[in-house]
Amino acid sequence: MSALGAQDAAARTTSSVDVVVVGAGFAGLTTARRLRASGHAVVVLEADERVGGRTKQGRIAGEVVDLGGQWVGPTQTRLLALAKELGVATYPQYDAGRNMIDIAGYRAVYKGETPQLTAEAMPEFAEVIGKIEAMAAKIPAAQPWQAADAEQLDAHTVESWLGLNTKHPAVRTMIRLMTRAVFSAEAGQVSLLYFLAYAAAAGSFNALISTRGGAQDALFEGGVWQLAQKMAAELGSAVVLEAPVQSIAQDGTGVTVTTPKGEWRARYIVVTAPPAIASRIQYAPPLPAQRDGLTQRMPLGCVIKVHIAYSRPFWRDQGLSGLVLSDRTEFGPWFDHSPTSGKTGSLVGFFDGAPAQRWADRTVEARRAQVLKDIALYLGDAALTPVEYLEEVWTRSPLNRGGYVSVPGPGVLTAFGPALREPFGRIRWAGTETAEAWVGYIDGAIRSGERAALDLAGQL
């Protein structure tokens, strides 16, 4: 054996713990903290060179920003409690002034949470939102496949349901854009049952799309990613970075987990990666048919997140909030994300769904040009001269391959849904996709970690 080979062999020692946690996002870090607090030995194996999962820190114009998840709503109590525990304050999303909308050829400015369509379209829009809320209220968020009409709802996409329940083109377009913004997927790709269960898990559809009082209510001073950083610092050497899990072998007494940095032996393992990413691990014995089927049918949405910094928030001079929603642009929606220091102005927005698919493989220069062109269409030529541009192409990220959440198409939940949380021997599943409330959000990830830790604490 060569000297290098001997070093590699020496490095691949087998360590023993009570529980191995796969993934150092909010679900994995929460699981590990809870188990350690219960007196159990844990290790968190993270494939990336950083912690945080689908949250990530960036810096633009001297300000720290979130390149992944960033907002928090008042009913996301687990995330708010964690921030309070770790000493991180929140501040409200800027919403003063008028919002702008441009849908189906009708352009308007308005105040408040309700988008303004034409006078002819508004009654139908209100009726459709009412139907969505009424249907979502009947869905058991934790087990939507057990809804009375689950198979019928799961046979539809959001798009096919719109075709049967809307007449006005502007209403259809508006719901399509809302679906794209929430799921980073097109209405024709999202199961209606999942759409309704997602709303139920947030408390309502309005909670998903609203700023004040909704999911976009507030942000974190210094960014939300720092909460993951603080949890990881507390766990210290129990967090192992750049250690992608290659295989999980289980037997009657435990699991053996293999990574390029060595092997770990544990009594149990918690896998927090989203289903499609978790499927890249080799399992012995192989995954049950239902779980494997789920992983093949639940891809992540497509999203590119963009921050644009300006010398000042010039749109506020026009009495605008910075929020723009349009069916004429590739980029959007976007929001005012100006720092509280007042030193600069900033917008944050997204390529979501089909636009993200179209733009993910193009150059950063091409994306930047499109973003500025789209913003200038509504905010004027001042939008063409930012001081800095920053983006994160989550769809190309090799360890994430998308965001914000995994999105099942029609027929998936009723056929494979129970496998989301069903244990497989000594393997437990966590992650925001498995949450029973606020699925797809950081709060949901935390809740899933709490559930997994509670389950294993009882087993251990």
Side-chain angles (χ1 to χ4, degrees):
M1 181 182 292
S2 68
L4 181 59
Q7 290 175 0
D8 290 342
R12 292 180 59 81
T13 57
T14 300
S15 304
S16 295
V17 291
D18 292 320
V19 179
V20 168
V21 178
V22 180
F26 277 78
L29 295 170
T30 298
T31 303
R33 288 181 87 218
R34 291 298 180 98
L35 286 171
R36 177 181 274 190
S38 299
H40 304 295
V42 297
V43 65
V44 182
L45 303 177
E46 169 56 50
D48 211 337
E49 62 185 6
R50 61 173 183 84
V51 301
R54 281 166 270 179
T55 68
K56 184 178 181 180
Q57 185 186 65
R59 186 174 289 273
I60 183 169
E63 301 286 342
V64 173
V65 294
D66 285 304
L67 294 173
Q70 71 176 55
W71 282 288
V72 64
T75 63
Q76 294 178 1
T77 55
R78 299 301 200 279
L79 179 52
L80 290 169
L82 178 66
K84 183 176 181 180
E85 175 191 349
L86 298 178
V88 176
T90 63
Y91 65 96
Q93 167 64 42
Y94 182 83
D95 67 347
R98 298 167 296 167
N99 307 320
M100 189 174 292
I101 192 168
D102 189 358
I103 300 293
Y106 177 75
R107 182 166 168 172
V109 292
Y110 65 96
K111 287 190 175 183
E113 297 290 342
T114 304
Q116 295 301 301
L117 304 178
T118 63
E120 296 80 13
M122 283 304 292
E124 183 178 291
F125 178 67
E127 180 183 356
V128 168
I129 294 295
K131 286 182 178 180
I132 290 171
E133 296 289 30
M135 290 191 297
K138 297 178 181 179
I139 303 296
Q143 297 176 308
W145 47 88
Q146 291 188 355
D149 52 353
E151 290 192 4
Q152 180 182 352
L153 295 172
D154 207 24
H156 279 285
T157 63
V158 176
E159 183 67 34
S160 66
W161 182 84
L162 286 174
L164 296 171
N165 289 272
T166 60
K167 295 179 181 179
H168 203 289
V171 175
R172 286 194 294 274
T173 298
M174 192 66 207
I175 301 298
R176 287 170 184 153
L177 290 179
M178 288 177 166
T179 302
R180 179 188 286 175
V182 170
F183 295 95
S184 296
E186 298 302 302
Q189 299 169 333
V190 183
S191 155
L192 178 61
L193 178 63
Y194 185 66
F195 176 91
L196 296 172
Y198 205 79
S204 70
F205 183 64
N206 272 309
L208 293 172
I209 61 176
S210 296
T211 299
R212 195 62 61 237
Q216 290 72 230
D217 183 81
L219 304 103
F220 295 88
E221 293 281 3
V224 73
W225 176 83
Q226 66 180 304
L227 300 179
Q229 182 186 40
K230 289 174 180 286
M231 287 192 287
E234 177 187 304
L235 290 164
S237 61
V239 178
V240 183
L241 301 179
E242 298 180 281
V245 172
Q246 299 162 320
S247 65
I248 300 171
Q250 59 175 317
D251 53 38
T253 61
V255 297
T256 301
V257 185
T258 303
T259 81
K261 287 196 171 180
E263 291 184 347
W264 277 264
R265 181 70 181 173
R267 293 170 65 185
Y268 293 94
I269 185 168
V270 180
V271 179
T272 69
I277 304 300
S279 70
R280 299 179 180 183
I281 300 171
Q282 291 186 338
Y283 298 86
L287 291 175
Q290 193 176 50
R291 174 70 192 188
D292 191 60
L294 177 78
T295 66
Q296 296 178 50
R297 294 166 173 85
M298 205 165 174
L300 286 143
C302 296
V303 60
I304 303 167
K305 186 172 185 181
V306 177
H307 288 270
I308 316 99
Y310 295 93
S311 58
R312 52 189 299 276
F314 59 87
W315 51 91
R316 295 183 183 180
D317 298 340
Q318 306 169 42
L320 298 175
S321 69
L323 170 60
V324 178
L325 183 62
S326 169
D327 64 354
R328 296 175 57 196
T329 62
E330 289 286 273
F331 179 66
W334 60 85
F335 303 81
D336 187 317
H337 191 221
S338 302
T340 54
S341 66
K343 294 179 180 178
T344 59
S346 181
L347 296 170
V348 60
F350 308 87
F351 291 91
D352 277 318
Q357 291 174 318
R358 287 192 289 268
W359 288 87
D361 293 323
R362 303 189 193 185
T363 64
V364 60
E365 292 81 10
R367 286 190 294 270
R368 181 183 184 276
Q370 185 65 44
V371 166
L372 300 184
K373 174 186 173 184
D374 287 344
I375 297 174
L377 185 63
Y378 298 98
L379 301 186
D381 288 346
L384 297 173
T385 53
V387 297
E388 199 169 338
Y389 173 93
L390 180 66
E391 66 174 25
E392 182 71 17
V393 186
W394 287 95
T395 297
R396 285 185 57 87
S397 172
L399 298 176
N400 293 280
R401 304 310 299 188
Y404 322 114
V405 69
S406 304
V407 184
V412 174
L413 281 186
T414 47
F416 304 99
L420 266 172
R421 289 186 295 272
E422 183 67 29
F424 170 40
R426 292 180 173 271
I427 301 175
R428 301 295 186 271
W429 311 103
T432 191
E433 285 82 3
T434 73
E436 298 181 0
W438 281 110
V439 175
Y441 291 79
I442 300 169
D443 189 84
I446 295 170
R447 291 171 187 266
S448 77
E450 292 173 347
R451 171 183 48 78
L454 183 63
D455 171 30
L456 288 185
Q459 298 291 328
L460 292 166

